Amino acid sequence: MKVVIPGGTGQVGTVLNRALTAAGHEVVVLTRRPVRPGEVHWDGRTPGPWTEAIDGSDVVVNLAGRSVSCRYTPANLRAMMDSRVLSARVVGEAIGAAARPPRVWLQMSTATIYAHRFDAPNDEGTGVIGGAEPTVPAYWSYSVDIAKAWEREQEQADTPHTRKVALRSAMVMSPDRGGVFDVLSWLARLGLGGPVAGGAQYVSWIHDHDFVRAVEFLIDRDDLAGPVNLAAPEPLPHRAFMRALRTAWRAPVGLPATRWMAEVGAFVLRSDTELLLKSRRVVPGRLLEAGFAFAYPRWPEAARDLARRRRGGPAPRPCSP
């Protein structure tokens, strides 16, 4: 199987590329700065020779978009919007113009599209789309606008021979350096991994192995199209999430942080507090209905596995039948 991954040099792309390559598939990564075999140059905005990689491929997984781990300045928010919308648009144009178009286009989206809420989980059918919550900072709505515009580009693309799936992904947890698990683990090991602003906000996440397995599942299931939540079935409050992470790292202390302390920390890390404070209570309704079985449905077990792999420990023995 030939898989093309636009924007595949980030954390999630690295996870997916590594797994698909190990499984024997041909993987082509579209990137602005190709340096390795299998990487092809593109600018994420305009057609070019890179479209030849899509023509004749089996699957396109578009992950392109500026990282959200930054300060939410007007310039950065505009860069987030443009990088996602324009890349999705040009990928759709390349698929539509292909003589042998791929059979499926998986387009990255985000669980941030759902509302900040505590009362009930968001699935694809009954979930509340965010942007109108009266109790959150006004600029949070721009993140939802980005997600909606991102998905709209895929929906409107003229690709009649290609099935389209929007991946409303939660945070992908992998042991790779620089990823979200690495950053949170660093805080936990420093004794700073306590609840933030009370810790009632929900955290949605997905183990990297389950992310890859879900992508493979969606590639094979010709009956699934449209938005699909890629999140473990048991989101949990931030305080419980960080407690389990501390346990995985054997870190006995986790100092709590107030909202203003989170603001200072986010400024130092050149990030934004929306990533910490928004309650993302997202569940994988369509995946579960389709029969997908998570290897890591619960965070404590997932955190232990990720910490073990980060330390370089041996894999646990499989259970006897």
Side-chain angles (χ1 to χ4, degrees):
M1 182 171 69
K2 180 180 179 181
V3 183
V4 180
I5 310 179
T9 57
Q11 179 215 356
V12 176
T14 298
V15 166
L16 193 57
N17 185 358
R18 185 168 56 215
L20 293 176
T21 300
H25 302 297
E26 177 188 357
V27 177
V28 177
V29 172
L30 304 184
T31 173
R32 289 177 173 82
R33 291 179 290 275
V35 295
R36 300 179 183 85
E39 295 181 348
V40 173
H41 178 265
W42 82 325
D43 65 2
R45 292 170 175 262
T46 55
W50 61 266
T51 60
E52 297 173 6
I54 285 180
D55 197 337
S57 66
D58 299 289
V59 180
V60 172
V61 186
N62 184 21
L63 305 177
R66 190 201 193 287
S67 172
V68 298
S69 184
C70 63
R71 298 297 293 168
Y72 283 12
T73 64
N76 285 341
L77 288 170
R78 172 48 58 184
M80 284 186 228
M81 175 73 84
D82 290 347
S83 63
R84 284 159 174 74
V85 168
L86 296 178
S87 62
R89 183 177 302 165
V90 76
V91 165
E93 291 171 353
I95 292 173
R100 295 169 298 160
R103 59 186 176 86
V104 59
W105 168 15
L106 305 181
Q107 172 62 50
M108 195 63 165
S109 181
T110 174
T112 297
I113 197 169
Y114 293 109
H116 169 81
R117 66 188 300 197
F118 302 87
D119 59 322
N122 291 302
D123 64 15
E124 301 90 339
T126 63
V128 178
I129 301 299
E133 304 95 316
T135 60
V136 302
Y139 76 93
W140 284 16
S141 65
Y142 196 81
S143 296
V144 176
D145 291 341
I146 291 172
K148 291 192 290 187
W150 209 2
E151 292 188 6
R152 188 163 55 246
E153 285 298 327
Q154 187 191 37
E155 292 169 5
Q156 295 177 349
D158 186 13
T159 58
H161 305 293
T162 300
R163 177 168 55 93
K164 297 183 285 190
V165 181
L167 307 177
R168 291 180 176 172
S169 180
M171 294 186 295
V172 179
M173 298 291 178
S174 84
D176 299 285
R177 290 189 181 276
V180 63
F181 179 78
D182 189 38
V183 173
L184 293 175
S185 295
W186 174 71
L187 293 172
R189 285 178 286 176
L190 284 177
L192 302 176
V196 174
Q201 67 274 26
Y202 276 79
V203 179
S204 288
W205 57 276
I206 186 169
H207 188 284
D208 62 335
H209 288 174
D210 279 332
F211 179 86
V212 171
R213 293 177 58 247
V215 166
E216 294 172 332
F217 184 84
L218 291 168
I219 289 171
D220 291 338
R221 287 292 297 262
D222 291 335
D223 58 326
L224 291 175
V228 176
N229 292 347
L230 267 61
E234 296 189 22
L236 68 172
H238 181 267
R239 67 170 74 90
F241 180 90
M242 294 306 296
R243 185 186 308 121
L245 182 60
R246 295 196 306 271
T247 299
W249 284 109
R250 305 184 185 96
V253 177
L255 297 177
T258 62
R259 183 180 289 264
W260 73 264
M261 292 168 66
E263 292 283 358
V264 172
F267 180 81
V268 171
L269 294 172
R270 306 305 299 160
S271 187
D272 196 273
T273 53
E274 184 199 26
L275 302 174
L276 284 173
L277 300 180
K278 181 169 181 176
S279 185
R280 295 172 175 85
R281 192 175 179 184
V282 179
V283 293
R286 297 191 70 195
L287 279 177
L288 294 177
E289 289 170 3
F292 182 79
F294 283 81
Y296 294 93
R298 299 181 67 252
W299 176 238
E301 290 79 9
R304 284 198 297 270
D305 175 75
L306 292 163
R308 174 193 59 77
R309 290 164 58 200
R310 185 69 178 82
R311 287 189 292 257
R317 294 182 179 180
C319 297
S320 301

